[in-house]
Amino acid sequence: MRNSIGRNITLTIFGESHGDAIGAVLDGMPAGIEVSDEFIAAQLSKRRPTGSTETARVENDNFKILSGVFNGHTTGAPICIIIPNENTRSADYEKTLGIARPSHADYTAHIKYCGFEDYRGGGHFSGRITAGIVAAGAIAIKALEKRNIKIGTHILSCGDVSDMDLLTEDPICTAKCIDTLNANPFPVISDISDNISAEILKAKNSQDSIGGIVQTAITGLKAGVGEPWFDSLEGAIANAVFSIGGVKGVEFGAGFALSGMKGSEANDCFCVKDGNIQTVTNNNGGINGGISNGMPIVFNTAVKPTPSIAQPQQSVNMLTSQEQTLTLTGRHDPAIIRRICIVISSITAIVLCDMLSLKEGTDYLK
Amino acid sequence: MRNSIGRNITLTIFGESHGDAIGAVLDGMPAGIEVSDEFIAAQLSKRRPTGSTETARVENDNFKILSGVFNGHTTGAPICIIIPNENTRSADYEKTLGIARPSHADYTAHIKYCGFEDYRGGGHFSGRITAGIVAAGAIAIKALEKRNIKIGTHILSCGDVSDMDLLTEDPICTAKCIDTLNANPFPVISDISDNISAEILKAKNSQDSIGGIVQTAITGLKAGVGEPWFDSLEGAIANAVFSIGGVKGVEFGAGFALSGMKGSEANDCFCVKDGNIQTVTNNNGGINGGISNGMPIVFNTAVKPTPSIAQPQQSVNMLTSQEQTLTLTGRHDPAIIRRICIVISSITAIVLCDMLSLKEGTDYLK
Amino acid sequence: MRNSIGRNITLTIFGESHGDAIGAVLDGMPAGIEVSDEFIAAQLSKRRPTGSTETARVENDNFKILSGVFNGHTTGAPICIIIPNENTRSADYEKTLGIARPSHADYTAHIKYCGFEDYRGGGHFSGRITAGIVAAGAIAIKALEKRNIKIGTHILSCGDVSDMDLLTEDPICTAKCIDTLNANPFPVISDISDNISAEILKAKNSQDSIGGIVQTAITGLKAGVGEPWFDSLEGAIANAVFSIGGVKGVEFGAGFALSGMKGSEANDCFCVKDGNIQTVTNNNGGINGGISNGMPIVFNTAVKPTPSIAQPQQSVNMLTSQEQTLTLTGRHDPAIIRRICIVISSITAIVLCDMLSLKEGTDYLK
Amino acid sequence: MRNSIGRNITLTIFGESHGDAIGAVLDGMPAGIEVSDEFIAAQLSKRRPTGSTETARVENDNFKILSGVFNGHTTGAPICIIIPNENTRSADYEKTLGIARPSHADYTAHIKYCGFEDYRGGGHFSGRITAGIVAAGAIAIKALEKRNIKIGTHILSCGDVSDMDLLTEDPICTAKCIDTLNANPFPVISDISDNISAEILKAKNSQDSIGGIVQTAITGLKAGVGEPWFDSLEGAIANAVFSIGGVKGVEFGAGFALSGMKGSEANDCFCVKDGNIQTVTNNNGGINGGISNGMPIVFNTAVKPTPSIAQPQQSVNMLTSQEQTLTLTGRHDPAIIRRICIVISSITAIVLCDMLSLKEGTDYLK
């Protein structure tokens, strides 16, 4: 479905980096959910570049809800949100027209769309498009909150700096940490925002870029959500998260580390706690057989360093098939590791709404 | 879609470990593809347990094609393949009835299906169901081969043993390695099958189990396959691969290692080789912006140790909500790392057929 | 989705008229629905040809449930039902090999599948495939009954004979009529089965065939089911019903007759009856804006005469592109008007389950 | 998918009658299709009310393409088109707030959306939303034209006036008639526009409304398009057409008339004409077994009289559950029969693009 995701609750995104506007259509949310413009704006502000460590292209994200909201509540009709593009400097891209930026989608888009793609600023492949995901995700996040489901994404590691690993925390502590990180303008739990900024600045000063690992945690999701086989909670979340530019790996629970463990170390034994069946450890990240087991859902996402760097790079002019050195001069992020956190939480919230609606019906989210 | 995957080319799977039969329906493959019973049988034999390091429950996999094949070719109608279950010993499961096996789907299935699930041998969550994926995947693999697309999955690491990493190989060498590993009864490229068997036996002898990492490589896939955003090649493959029991992580190209690199190290610079645009390195695993770039597709899958171990484990009786020690006595695999390789290749082949058909039409696969 | 229908609750059908077996996979039904082999058998018997007015090819329909049912209840896993083909006489079809039967799918299948189609007895386009729909539909019908939703299809007209029109009946009377017709081996409400049989026999004796109009009524479906625009109840039902061979028209409520009315005649005014909002008339067939309004759903289906007739017909040999006279000698139905009723009820029941599950969640059907 | 339709080529619509804007997202169209603002505007003008026989609410339809088009061509990215709402008079609706208009979706929307629906002017159920279908359909129609596929919809009957029936015309004449009717501001083939206007005016003058039957014809569609069973061309088109407000019946070829024919009358015998296999008659409307046979596709749609009439009607106040007389005072159409023609052609064009892309790949449409 290319630019749409979900079955009962669907998100469709559209737009290009340098077009008139980008946007999203969120369909299937039940009627009666309160929609707060302030919350949407606050979520969008978390995605917006800021400060010396990020791109100088800052946009106001003056989003407009065109449909599906009436008297401050969802109506049940599709919600279209558009966000005008501002502060575009397309001329930056005309200079290097035809030269494929390494590790960007320029070349694959050129082949796929036979030269008709909007190449300015990455066009439809721009990270700019994720603003629509965040705006729509804000509505999903609010709906989940009413069911006491919390979701948060923080920077687990960037350069030599690491945040606490939620995989080993109990559900109550995990929920508190999610509150902490969501209240924080910089998405970390520990007091390491300055350290991470320093890592990013170091990369920027070397005309380079940096990646990292972000960790997402979900609490309050009851057991029994997710489907066997091809709608596994892991598969559905991974599919959504891999759609975001820069993501190259997703692991649930202990993930790749599980591959080096013995069964006796890896297995999550069951216990009864406060009358509820729980697991002692959470190496499976809250999912067995593709279905939630009531423990926190925890997954890590590998984010590659942003491909746009100020150093000259070897490339090819796609129009002439000649090798050519590329020197980028636009305004670029040395790291998207901070900004990607809210995007992952947002798309994951939409996936969870969809998964919940399957078992419970869409009205469950009201 | 729970037990179905794909859009133009869809796979539906059904069955339980101890029911009459398991099976699959493959729909959307064009008419005129040659179907070889021998090849399907050979593929199924790669999934079948064998030798002292794997479960003693061995099945003949006497598959039967019920529909969609006529005079040795696909007809364009849905292909239903069933594989009868044999050699089931359900009594093994009655003994531990109600006690959730740690890290299995017993508990989540019990909650989701309210006690109506077929609990014998994992029921619908059994790895047995993957035989249907392999049988259907054999048809997809053959169709891809006619387009010169090769696909292979090998054990990259298990315990202390490692196979060669295809990520750093060029396309031609990668294609040769795929041929080598597919011709090998044990899915490795180097001469390490005995070493891996020894690792598995060691785990078995300690009443334990072992996991590992498998690597999948695809050559011959032209640039331009895959879709932006929610049908990214990464997302579609990850969704499929995460559906397989035991998978807890998927990474493309250098994956999690990319998160520790600088952009200048990570970026795949472009070059012209033999008149074609290629990349010098392949850290992105052949995919940019969710779309194939013509380089080999390479991804790694983290496989957790099989949860069934012979040691006593702490658990809970789901019927009484009492903690209880569980001692398993059935016939179990100390490792599925060998058997999972063909399953991943098979489901990936079906995903590729679907993705190719989107751009080229289903007749492309004929 | 070709051979699959539905979103949350999906039906996939497979098989050919002269293959080993035909069948269906019903996925998404919640766990815990009682499954009665007797009821499935009884429903299949209503689809089976019988007596002198229908084809002499009679099959026992010895269906087998391969998966998804355990201890007499659905497990929540996909339900695969297969029905072996018996009493096939493929030789009948070899005689006329390559000659397209007028108004059958021979020619279109030949073009679409490039000559690889299984041509025997219509192959995958045979009405035989509808047995899988009826078997799966039996489970859906039982689930709806527990929610007090009744569904029935009767012959509204055939030749010069007509049954009563349920469109003008009130909900209570309609429900009673559904019980009557479902209890009747011949799907009519009035005592007209002999008259219809006589019409069919008349056609048969003239080496001809006959069609008719069937009417489907649903009671007990609450208001609010169905979706705006592209998942309208009308669109979803019509899509399903048009899939059945021989159907060439579908109308809801007064349907085509509405096109000749004035608004003042056509509008269904609202009233309050026993404290409930109802409509005085039911010209819209219980659906406004694609959504059920609580009145009985009533729709009519136009069934063309069966294309297989014993008279010589002008045709073309597809292999030689020569005009050729075709004289059919197989065993054929002079009318499918009786047998199609249960098929339409069955597929409609599956659509309703799917639509209900969207709003209420699949567990609603348990 | 509620507000989305299609598999490879998808249309999503959004908006409310009295909101800021309505719109559509068309996704999956290949890159490189020329997009003409003039043609879109011309198509929209055919849907716009005009003259004394239609609603006085006239809008300029100042559509804006937000994405997916660059340098006058499609880019392959989703095309979002928005059309601002103007000339709304919401006060008309406040007067009758809570009183369900008979045969409108007010009551069903109120139940489904629990009172949160935007009730002004029918909200999301308004015919206004079809402007998005027409704008997106214009792009699909242009793409089909390049493949020499023509599509047209004309008023077959309205009151006592009838246009020529294309079902009995040969392919060449049908194609010419499509050109004629598409060039005509009033969608008829014969010179009957004044007569139809007179019928509509007569209804208006009696404070009443009128419906009719429209006929759609498609030429140039090659044989082999459409899928067996649940993606039959009939089912896919009917699903799309039934989504449009006011449609209560759809029939293909001779449709309901077939139900009264004998097989010998109804069957379309094959012949060879100019070296091509054709049928002598076209009672099946160009479709056998759900697949196009190369003859013109012809189907009729029953349109009910518009429910908004100036006469007092019996109704119910949904907020108080009291019976109440409703007298409408807004600006309403006495007939939508003219305006619906372009909507049906547009949505059918999108369905055809989707169906074609399945077999041929989306690039076929370029």
Side-chain angles (χ1 to χ4, degrees):
Chain A
M1 303 210 286
R2 290 182 185 80
N3 299 287
S4 298
I5 193 167
R7 180 157 46 169
N8 289 343
I9 293 177
T10 53
L11 176 73
T12 300
I13 55 176
F14 57 85
E16 285 86 37
S17 181
H18 289 225
D20 282 324
I22 63 104
V25 181
L26 179 65
D27 194 14
M29 292 301 283
I33 299 174
E34 213 173 321
V35 176
S36 155
D37 281 2
E38 289 68 33
F39 184 68
I40 296 173
Q43 295 289 94
L44 282 169
S45 76
K46 293 185 174 182
R47 202 205 68 89
R48 205 172 302 140
T50 172
S52 62
T53 58
E54 294 174 334
T55 174
R57 176 183 170 192
V58 180
E59 316 223 16
N60 288 322
D61 292 335
N62 290 317
F63 69 92
K64 185 164 194 176
I65 301 179
L66 290 186
S67 65
V69 176
F70 182 53
N71 291 336
H73 290 80
T74 58
T75 63
I79 302 162
C80 180
I81 308 175
I82 60 167
I83 311 175
N85 286 322
E86 305 166 11
N87 192 7
T88 55
R89 296 210 319 232
S90 304
D92 286 349
Y93 293 91
E94 300 295 344
K95 285 182 231 162
T96 54
L97 178 61
I99 312 179
R101 292 170 301 162
S103 294
H104 270 290
D106 297 349
Y107 173 65
T108 52
H110 187 75
I111 295 295
K112 185 172 183 67
Y113 301 118
C114 311
F116 287 101
E117 72 280 2
D118 180 350
Y119 51 80
R120 299 167 303 166
H124 184 55
F125 293 85
S126 166
R128 171 80 186 135
I129 315 303
T130 60
I133 295 174
V134 172
I139 296 170
I141 285 170
K142 273 290 171 201
L144 293 174
E145 267 180 14
K146 283 194 64 174
R147 288 288 177 176
N148 209 26
I149 299 168
K150 292 173 191 289
I151 180 165
T153 303
H154 68 118
I155 302 172
L156 185 64
S157 73
C158 176
D160 292 332
V161 185
S162 295
D163 201 2
M164 66 185 289
D165 188 342
L166 293 177
L167 191 61
T168 53
E169 302 302 320
D170 69 20
I172 293 166
C173 171
T174 304
K176 278 186 198 155
C177 290
I178 293 174
D179 288 342
T180 302
L181 81 91
N182 282 338
N184 200 338
F186 204 96
V188 287
I189 304 166
S190 319
D191 182 20
I192 54 169
S193 51
D194 288 350
N195 313 46
I196 291 178
S197 296
E199 292 280 338
I200 297 172
L201 203 57
K202 197 167 61 181
K204 187 187 178 187
N205 290 341
S206 336
Q207 298 194 299
D208 219 325
S209 64
I210 193 170
I213 297 174
V214 300
Q215 182 176 63
T216 305
I218 301 154
T219 58
L221 187 70
K222 61 184 176 183
V225 179
E227 301 292 328
W229 299 100
F230 303 120
D231 268 337
S232 76
L233 209 44
E234 288 130 327
I237 290 173
N239 184 29
V241 171
F242 270 118
S243 67
I244 303 166
V247 171
K248 297 302 280 191
V250 175
E251 61 179 5
F252 289 82
F256 276 87
L258 280 167
S259 68
M261 294 184 192
K262 291 287 182 300
S264 57
E265 302 166 282
N267 282 359
D268 297 316
C269 288
F270 287 101
C271 63
V272 177
K273 201 168 169 184
D274 307 329
N276 298 314
I277 297 178
Q278 292 196 0
T279 60
V280 178
T281 50
N282 191 17
N283 287 321
N284 282 281
I287 305 174
N288 293 127
I291 299 170
S292 65
N293 65 15
M295 294 293 288
I297 309 289
V298 183
F299 65 89
N300 297 335
T301 302
V303 181
K304 71 177 184 185
T306 41
S308 294
I309 57 176
Q311 301 173 37
Q313 297 180 84
Q314 178 187 343
S315 188
V316 166
N317 186 316
M318 300 182 289
L319 309 176
T320 63
S321 283
Q322 299 293 309
E323 297 194 348
Q324 197 164 340
T325 297
L326 172 72
T327 307
L328 293 171
T329 54
R331 303 162 297 175
H332 305 289
D333 265 341
I336 57 163
I337 196 77
R338 180 190 69 83
R339 302 173 64 198
I340 206 171
C341 288
I342 193 71
V343 179
I344 293 179
S345 288
S346 299
I347 193 71
T348 304
I350 292 170
V351 169
L352 288 181
C353 284
D354 190 34
M355 282 286 179
L356 271 163
S357 76
L358 191 58
K359 185 179 173 60
E360 309 288 342
T362 49
D363 281 357
Y364 179 81
L365 295 163
K366 195 164 60 186
Chain B
M1 305 210 284
R2 291 180 184 82
N3 298 286
S4 297
I5 194 167
R7 179 156 47 169
N8 288 344
I9 292 179
T10 54
L11 176 72
T12 300
I13 55 176
F14 57 84
E16 286 85 37
S17 180
H18 289 225
D20 282 325
I22 63 105
V25 181
L26 180 65
D27 194 13
M29 294 299 284
I33 299 173
E34 213 173 321
V35 175
S36 155
D37 283 1
E38 290 67 35
F39 184 67
I40 296 174
Q43 294 290 93
L44 282 169
S45 76
K46 292 186 175 181
R47 201 205 67 90
R48 204 173 301 141
T50 172
S52 61
T53 58
E54 293 174 336
T55 174
R57 175 183 171 191
V58 180
E59 316 221 16
N60 287 322
D61 292 335
N62 290 315
F63 69 92
K64 186 165 192 175
I65 301 178
L66 290 185
S67 66
V69 176
F70 183 54
N71 292 336
H73 292 79
T74 57
T75 63
I79 302 163
C80 179
I81 308 176
I82 60 168
I83 311 176
N85 286 324
E86 303 165 12
N87 193 8
T88 56
R89 292 206 324 228
S90 303
D92 287 349
Y93 293 91
E94 300 295 343
K95 284 183 232 163
T96 54
L97 179 61
I99 312 178
R101 292 171 300 162
S103 294
H104 270 290
D106 296 350
Y107 173 65
T108 52
H110 188 75
I111 295 295
K112 185 172 183 67
Y113 301 118
C114 311
F116 288 101
E117 73 280 4
D118 181 350
Y119 51 81
R120 299 167 303 166
H124 183 55
F125 292 85
S126 166
R128 172 80 185 135
I129 315 305
T130 59
I133 295 173
V134 172
I139 296 170
I141 285 171
K142 273 290 171 200
L144 293 174
E145 268 179 15
K146 283 194 66 175
R147 287 289 177 175
N148 208 28
I149 299 168
K150 293 174 191 286
I151 179 165
T153 303
H154 69 117
I155 302 172
L156 185 64
S157 73
C158 176
D160 293 331
V161 185
S162 295
D163 202 2
M164 67 185 288
D165 188 344
L166 293 177
L167 192 61
T168 52
E169 302 301 320
D170 70 19
I172 293 166
C173 171
T174 303
K176 278 186 197 156
C177 289
I178 293 173
D179 288 342
T180 301
L181 79 92
N182 283 337
N184 199 338
F186 204 97
V188 287
I189 302 166
S190 318
D191 183 18
I192 54 168
S193 52
D194 288 349
N195 313 46
I196 291 178
S197 296
E199 292 280 339
I200 297 172
L201 203 57
K202 196 166 63 181
K204 187 189 180 186
N205 289 341
S206 338
Q207 298 193 299
D208 218 326
S209 65
I210 193 170
I213 297 173
V214 300
Q215 182 175 64
T216 304
I218 301 154
T219 57
L221 186 69
K222 61 183 175 182
V225 179
E227 301 291 329
W229 300 99
F230 303 120
D231 269 335
S232 75
L233 209 46
E234 289 131 325
I237 290 173
N239 184 29
V241 170
F242 270 118
S243 68
I244 302 167
V247 171
K248 297 302 282 190
V250 174
E251 60 179 6
F252 289 82
F256 276 86
L258 280 167
S259 67
M261 294 184 192
K262 293 285 184 298
S264 57
E265 302 166 282
N267 282 359
D268 297 315
C269 288
F270 287 100
C271 63
V272 177
K273 202 168 168 183
D274 306 329
N276 298 314
I277 297 177
Q278 292 195 359
T279 60
V280 179
T281 50
N282 192 15
N283 288 320
N284 283 282
I287 305 175
N288 294 127
I291 300 170
S292 64
N293 65 14
M295 293 294 286
I297 309 289
V298 182
F299 64 92
N300 297 335
T301 303
V303 182
K304 72 178 182 183
T306 41
S308 296
I309 57 176
Q311 301 174 35
Q313 296 181 85
Q314 179 187 342
S315 187
V316 165
N317 185 316
M318 300 182 289
L319 309 176
T320 63
S321 282
Q322 299 292 309
E323 296 194 349
Q324 198 165 338
T325 298
L326 172 72
T327 308
L328 293 171
T329 54
R331 302 162 297 176
H332 305 290
D333 264 343
I336 57 163
I337 196 78
R338 180 189 68 83
R339 301 171 65 197
I340 206 171
C341 289
I342 193 72
V343 179
I344 293 177
S345 288
S346 299
I347 193 70
T348 303
I350 292 170
V351 169
L352 289 182
C353 284
D354 191 34
M355 283 287 179
L356 271 163
S357 77
L358 191 58
K359 185 177 173 62
E360 308 288 341
T362 49
D363 282 356
Y364 180 80
L365 295 162
K366 195 164 58 184
Chain C
M1 304 210 288
R2 293 181 183 81
N3 299 285
S4 297
I5 193 167
R7 179 157 48 168
N8 289 344
I9 293 180
T10 52
L11 176 73
T12 300
I13 55 176
F14 56 85
E16 286 84 36
S17 181
H18 289 225
D20 281 325
I22 63 103
V25 181
L26 180 65
D27 195 14
M29 292 301 283
I33 299 174
E34 213 173 320
V35 175
S36 155
D37 282 2
E38 289 70 32
F39 184 68
I40 297 173
Q43 294 289 94
L44 282 169
S45 76
K46 292 185 176 182
R47 201 206 67 90
R48 205 172 302 140
T50 173
S52 61
T53 58
E54 293 175 335
T55 173
R57 177 183 170 191
V58 180
E59 315 222 16
N60 286 322
D61 291 335
N62 291 315
F63 70 92
K64 187 165 193 175
I65 301 178
L66 289 185
S67 66
V69 176
F70 183 52
N71 292 335
H73 291 80
T74 57
T75 63
I79 302 162
C80 180
I81 308 176
I82 59 167
I83 310 176
N85 286 323
E86 304 166 13
N87 193 7
T88 55
R89 294 206 324 227
S90 304
D92 287 349
Y93 293 91
E94 300 295 343
K95 285 181 234 164
T96 54
L97 179 60
I99 312 179
R101 292 170 300 163
S103 294
H104 270 290
D106 296 349
Y107 173 66
T108 52
H110 188 75
I111 296 295
K112 185 173 181 68
Y113 301 118
C114 312
F116 288 101
E117 73 279 5
D118 181 350
Y119 51 81
R120 300 166 303 166
H124 183 55
F125 292 86
S126 166
R128 172 81 186 135
I129 315 306
T130 60
I133 295 174
V134 172
I139 295 170
I141 285 170
K142 274 289 172 200
L144 293 175
E145 268 180 14
K146 283 194 65 176
R147 287 289 176 175
N148 208 27
I149 299 168
K150 292 173 190 289
I151 180 166
T153 303
H154 69 118
I155 302 172
L156 185 64
S157 74
C158 177
D160 293 331
V161 185
S162 295
D163 201 3
M164 65 184 289
D165 188 342
L166 292 177
L167 191 61
T168 53
E169 302 301 319
D170 70 19
I172 293 166
C173 171
T174 304
K176 278 186 197 155
C177 289
I178 293 174
D179 287 343
T180 301
L181 80 91
N182 281 338
N184 199 339
F186 205 97
V188 286
I189 303 166
S190 320
D191 184 20
I192 54 167
S193 52
D194 288 350
N195 313 47
I196 291 177
S197 295
E199 293 280 338
I200 298 172
L201 203 58
K202 197 166 63 182
K204 187 187 178 186
N205 290 342
S206 337
Q207 297 193 302
D208 218 325
S209 64
I210 192 170
I213 297 173
V214 300
Q215 182 176 64
T216 304
I218 301 155
T219 58
L221 187 70
K222 61 183 176 184
V225 179
E227 301 291 329
W229 298 99
F230 303 121
D231 268 337
S232 75
L233 209 45
E234 288 131 326
I237 290 174
N239 184 28
V241 170
F242 270 117
S243 69
I244 302 167
V247 171
K248 297 302 283 190
V250 174
E251 59 179 5
F252 289 82
F256 276 87
L258 280 166
S259 67
M261 295 184 191
K262 292 286 182 300
S264 56
E265 302 166 282
N267 282 1
D268 296 316
C269 287
F270 287 100
C271 62
V272 177
K273 200 168 168 184
D274 307 330
N276 298 315
I277 297 177
Q278 290 194 1
T279 59
V280 178
T281 49
N282 192 16
N283 287 321
N284 283 282
I287 305 175
N288 293 128
I291 299 171
S292 65
N293 65 14
M295 293 294 288
I297 308 289
V298 183
F299 64 90
N300 298 334
T301 303
V303 181
K304 71 178 183 184
T306 41
S308 295
I309 56 177
Q311 301 173 36
Q313 295 180 86
Q314 177 186 343
S315 187
V316 165
N317 187 316
M318 301 182 288
L319 310 176
T320 62
S321 283
Q322 300 292 310
E323 298 194 348
Q324 196 165 342
T325 297
L326 172 71
T327 308
L328 293 171
T329 54
R331 303 162 296 175
H332 305 290
D333 265 342
I336 57 163
I337 196 80
R338 180 190 69 83
R339 301 171 65 195
I340 206 172
C341 288
I342 194 71
V343 179
I344 293 179
S345 288
S346 299
I347 194 69
T348 303
I350 291 169
V351 169
L352 288 182
C353 284
D354 191 33
M355 283 286 180
L356 271 163
S357 76
L358 191 58
K359 182 176 175 63
E360 308 288 341
T362 49
D363 282 356
Y364 180 81
L365 295 163
K366 195 163 59 184
Chain D
M1 305 211 285
R2 290 179 185 81
N3 299 287
S4 297
I5 194 168
R7 180 158 46 172
N8 289 345
I9 292 178
T10 54
L11 175 74
T12 300
I13 55 175
F14 57 83
E16 285 85 37
S17 181
H18 290 223
D20 282 325
I22 63 106
V25 181
L26 180 65
D27 194 13
M29 293 300 284
I33 299 174
E34 212 173 322
V35 175
S36 155
D37 282 1
E38 289 69 33
F39 184 67
I40 296 174
Q43 294 290 94
L44 282 169
S45 76
K46 293 185 175 183
R47 201 206 67 90
R48 205 173 301 141
T50 174
S52 62
T53 59
E54 293 175 336
T55 174
R57 175 183 171 191
V58 180
E59 316 223 15
N60 287 321
D61 293 334
N62 290 317
F63 70 93
K64 185 164 193 176
I65 300 178
L66 290 185
S67 64
V69 176
F70 183 54
N71 291 336
H73 291 80
T74 58
T75 63
I79 302 161
C80 179
I81 308 176
I82 60 168
I83 310 176
N85 285 323
E86 304 166 12
N87 194 7
T88 55
R89 294 210 320 231
S90 304
D92 286 348
Y93 293 91
E94 300 294 343
K95 285 182 231 162
T96 55
L97 179 60
I99 313 179
R101 292 171 300 162
S103 294
H104 270 291
D106 296 349
Y107 173 66
T108 53
H110 188 75
I111 295 294
K112 185 172 183 70
Y113 300 119
C114 311
F116 288 101
E117 73 279 2
D118 181 350
Y119 50 81
R120 299 167 303 167
H124 184 54
F125 293 85
S126 166
R128 171 81 184 134
I129 316 305
T130 59
I133 295 175
V134 172
I139 296 170
I141 285 171
K142 273 289 172 202
L144 293 174
E145 267 179 16
K146 283 194 64 175
R147 286 290 177 175
N148 208 27
I149 299 168
K150 293 174 191 287
I151 179 165
T153 302
H154 68 117
I155 302 172
L156 186 63
S157 73
C158 176
D160 292 331
V161 184
S162 294
D163 201 2
M164 67 184 288
D165 188 344
L166 293 177
L167 192 61
T168 52
E169 301 302 318
D170 69 20
I172 292 166
C173 170
T174 304
K176 278 186 198 155
C177 289
I178 294 174
D179 288 342
T180 301
L181 79 92
N182 282 337
N184 199 338
F186 204 96
V188 287
I189 304 167
S190 319
D191 184 19
I192 53 169
S193 52
D194 288 350
N195 313 46
I196 291 179
S197 296
E199 292 280 338
I200 297 172
L201 203 58
K202 194 166 63 180
K204 188 188 178 188
N205 290 340
S206 339
Q207 297 194 301
D208 218 327
S209 64
I210 193 170
I213 297 174
V214 301
Q215 182 175 65
T216 305
I218 301 154
T219 58
L221 187 70
K222 61 184 176 182
V225 178
E227 300 292 328
W229 300 99
F230 303 121
D231 269 336
S232 75
L233 209 46
E234 288 131 327
I237 291 174
N239 184 30
V241 171
F242 270 118
S243 69
I244 302 166
V247 171
K248 297 302 281 190
V250 174
E251 61 179 5
F252 289 82
F256 276 87
L258 280 166
S259 67
M261 294 184 192
K262 292 286 183 298
S264 57
E265 302 167 282
N267 282 359
D268 295 317
C269 286
F270 287 100
C271 62
V272 177
K273 201 167 166 183
D274 305 330
N276 298 315
I277 297 177
Q278 293 195 359
T279 59
V280 178
T281 50
N282 192 16
N283 288 320
N284 283 280
I287 305 174
N288 294 127
I291 300 169
S292 65
N293 66 15
M295 293 293 289
I297 309 289
V298 182
F299 65 90
N300 297 335
T301 302
V303 182
K304 70 177 184 185
T306 41
S308 295
I309 56 176
Q311 303 173 36
Q313 296 180 84
Q314 179 186 343
S315 187
V316 166
N317 186 316
M318 300 183 289
L319 309 176
T320 62
S321 282
Q322 299 292 309
E323 297 194 348
Q324 198 165 339
T325 296
L326 172 71
T327 307
L328 293 172
T329 54
R331 303 162 296 176
H332 305 290
D333 264 343
I336 58 164
I337 196 77
R338 180 190 68 84
R339 301 171 64 197
I340 206 171
C341 289
I342 193 71
V343 180
I344 293 179
S345 288
S346 299
I347 193 68
T348 302
I350 291 169
V351 169
L352 289 182
C353 284
D354 191 33
M355 283 286 181
L356 271 163
S357 77
L358 191 57
K359 185 177 174 63
E360 308 288 342
T362 48
D363 281 356
Y364 179 80
L365 295 162
K366 195 162 58 184

